[in-house]
Amino acid sequence: MSDNDKTRGIFPPLSRRGMLLGSAALSASLFMPKGLRAQDYPTAQVNTSGLAVTDDTVTVGILHSVTGTMAISETGSVQAEKLAIDQINAQGGVLGRKIQFIQEDGASDWPTFAEKARKLLVNDKVASVMGCWTSASRKAVLPVFEQYNGMLYYPTFYEGLEQSPNVIYTGQEATQQIIAGIDWVTNEKGAKTFYLLGSDYIWPRTSNKIARKHIEDKLGLKVVGEEYYPLGHTQFNSVINKIRLRKPDVIYAIVVGGSNVAFYKQLKAAGIDMTEEKPVLLTISVTEDEIRGIGGENIEGAYACMKYFQSLQNENNDTFVAAFKDMWGSDMVIGDVTQAAYLGPWLWKLAVEKAGSFDVDKVREASPDIEFPQAPEGYVRIHENHHLWSRTRVGRAKADGQYEVVFETEDLVEPDPFPEGYQ
């Protein structure tokens, strides 16, 4: 199958891959509604707002960066969304209609994201969009989705302080990741001083603002340095020298995209051995996807606070990992955002079926309390604030590029995108 075929949403006849997808779908179907017949849901009734819905198909959009510095992170999201769509189609689709997709490239450029979002909603009339990664890209498309009443399923952990009727946030917000991670490293590692480091755009700066408030105002601890660098930056020796001089207990690193490759290689070359835990490195931006580029030997010993790691041991995740590798290659890895992206098409399907309609207003109204017990991360539920209840986990990077899970919350953490005292 060519890349062009994948982009147009065309898949080959059932093969070994198809058989595995079918097995996964069969397993999932034990817990999900059976495939619904399109003739029971006349198009004129389930599509009253002119969306790209026919008697046989419904078209959605996929909008990520497959070129530019963010491609290293967003490629996995595209692959996960296509896998979910393929599995849903193997079950019979949504309200009896097979899902088609139109894929657009945001090209790691925020105005391009806005332009492509408008094209998908206005020209293509897609019923929903799975997409974006950086907060800058999400902020760029948000006015477009609100103006044209589209529905975006956004997969990335982010800084919170946002809630839109036109977005379902399938990643974690600040209280589930940033604050939870700092509490963990303080309680478990006895950390008292932090050096904050990030890429220079909305998410790292806002996340570190929240982190500093928590470290200084809530915990009474100290931030000894804070630095930002442009996306795509590759020269970190200056800040690494500052870190060595100030000797923080924790390097709190939220560098994104391809810059991670240079940062971790230079960190190791400078003699900072994270396996020694002096200092501890805690990241909320390096998933298994980024480690493929960094090299496991260059980040071994670092900690990451997220909700999903590929190494999670449960039946749902075993099935998901097997299907993903069979579709995209045995050497592929799956990170937190990739898994969160996989949730988007499934949560949209469940909301459409609950609403009995593709109309965005009805899908939005049906979304709160949607449950997805088959999520690879484990049971999730949509909160009325459009974020997900989920567990917080901490993993430690290994040389083989995987994380060993060293902590997870006992219960699901309620999403709170506007925590009091952090705005």
Side-chain angles (χ1 to χ4, degrees):
M1 179 170 50
S2 70
D3 290 341
N4 287 338
D5 287 341
K6 293 179 182 178
T7 302
R8 293 196 301 271
I10 300 171
F11 288 91
L14 202 61
S15 59
R16 179 178 177 275
R17 177 180 68 81
M19 293 174 68
L20 181 59
L21 293 171
S23 296
L26 179 60
S27 176
S29 70
L30 297 175
F31 307 94
M32 294 182 173
K34 299 295 182 184
L36 303 174
R37 300 185 310 167
Q39 56 264 41
D40 295 330
Y41 297 90
T43 302
Q45 294 180 17
V46 301
N47 178 28
T48 67
S49 51
L51 298 171
V53 178
T54 71
D55 292 345
D56 304 312
T57 64
V58 53
T59 302
V60 302
I62 292 177
L63 176 57
H64 286 287
S65 296
V66 293
T67 59
T69 189
M70 291 310 302
I72 185 176
S73 298
E74 296 191 64
T75 298
S77 298
V78 174
Q79 293 170 328
E81 288 155 2
K82 291 180 179 178
L83 171 62
I85 289 170
D86 213 22
Q87 291 178 332
I88 292 169
N89 283 341
Q91 284 194 14
V94 183
L95 296 185
R97 291 158 174 84
K98 296 295 179 67
I99 303 174
Q100 296 181 333
F101 61 82
I102 298 172
Q103 183 179 345
E104 296 292 348
D105 180 10
S108 306
D109 178 69
W110 322 143
T112 299
F113 267 94
E115 174 191 339
K116 298 296 186 182
R118 185 174 292 105
K119 183 255 185 188
L120 287 169
L121 296 179
V122 176
N123 297 351
D124 301 323
K125 307 290 185 185
V126 297
S128 66
V129 177
M130 321 297 158
C132 300
W133 205 103
T134 65
S135 287
S137 63
R138 189 192 70 257
K139 290 290 188 185
V141 305
L142 193 57
V144 179
F145 276 86
E146 293 183 343
Q147 178 180 358
Y148 297 105
N149 197 28
M151 184 63 84
L152 172 68
Y153 289 77
Y154 175 67
T156 317
F157 41 73
Y158 85 117
E159 69 278 9
L161 308 181
E162 181 182 298
Q163 178 180 338
S164 170
N166 296 88
V167 182
I168 299 294
Y169 306 82
T170 67
Q172 291 183 302
E173 45 73 44
T175 65
Q176 296 170 314
Q177 187 189 35
I178 300 170
I179 294 172
I182 290 172
D183 284 344
W184 175 83
V185 78
T186 300
N187 294 332
E188 297 298 323
K189 302 298 178 183
K192 298 186 183 303
T193 58
F194 294 75
Y195 202 110
L196 310 182
L197 179 68
S199 297
D200 192 7
Y201 71 100
I202 297 169
W203 177 66
R205 283 191 173 274
T206 307
S207 295
N208 278 346
K209 180 181 177 182
I210 292 170
R212 182 183 277 272
K213 279 182 176 289
H214 193 63
I215 292 166
E216 295 181 337
D217 298 346
K218 304 293 182 181
L219 301 177
L221 304 176
K222 188 175 182 180
V223 175
V224 298
E226 184 171 350
E227 306 265 353
Y228 296 93
Y229 293 90
L231 284 169
H233 188 76
T234 58
Q235 299 300 320
F236 292 95
N237 289 325
S238 175
V239 70
I240 290 171
N241 286 335
K242 291 179 184 177
I243 290 170
R244 297 183 69 180
L245 288 171
R246 296 178 190 178
K247 301 183 185 306
D249 294 330
V250 178
I251 303 171
Y252 189 72
I254 50 176
V255 176
V256 307
S259 293
N260 279 305
V261 177
F263 174 64
Y264 285 95
K265 287 183 176 179
Q266 290 165 22
L267 203 63
K268 182 173 182 180
I272 296 180
D273 184 353
M274 288 172 280
T275 65
E276 296 293 328
E277 298 200 341
K278 291 181 179 179
V280 170
L281 190 141
L282 178 63
T283 178
I284 57 172
S285 63
V286 177
T287 74
E288 292 88 337
D289 291 293
E290 286 77 21
I291 293 180
R292 289 190 80 204
I294 294 167
E297 70 279 10
N298 295 312
I299 195 173
E300 182 181 11
Y303 291 94
C305 182
M306 299 174 178
K307 66 174 180 172
Y308 174 85
F309 297 102
Q310 183 181 319
S311 58
L312 285 182
Q313 296 183 353
N314 64 63
E315 185 177 352
N316 292 349
N317 193 43
D318 291 345
T319 302
F320 169 60
V321 172
F324 191 92
K325 285 178 174 288
D326 203 65
M327 185 170 186
W328 298 110
S330 60
D331 62 335
M332 299 302 294
V333 297
I334 304 169
D336 178 281
V337 184
T338 297
Q339 190 267 165
Y342 176 75
L343 305 183
W346 284 106
L347 294 173
W348 171 74
K349 163 191 163 66
L350 293 168
V352 168
E353 291 178 347
K354 180 181 175 183
S357 173
F358 293 99
D359 290 343
V360 169
D361 288 342
K362 294 177 181 176
V363 171
R364 175 170 45 245
E365 184 179 352
S367 290
D369 295 328
I370 288 288
E371 300 173 303
F372 187 36
Q374 291 75 39
E377 69 177 83
Y379 170 91
V380 298
R381 183 169 79 248
I382 300 178
H383 195 280
E384 62 184 13
N385 61 30
H386 281 199
H387 296 69
L388 301 187
W389 295 74
S390 64
R391 296 181 190 279
T392 293
R393 298 178 169 101
V394 175
R396 192 176 193 199
K398 301 190 299 180
D400 66 1
Q402 292 293 309
Y403 281 102
E404 175 187 10
V405 179
V406 298
F407 168 80
E408 74 172 27
T409 54
E410 183 175 348
D411 298 318
L412 297 175
V413 180
E414 181 175 9
D416 181 10
F418 297 99
E420 186 175 352
Y422 291 88
Q423 300 173 37

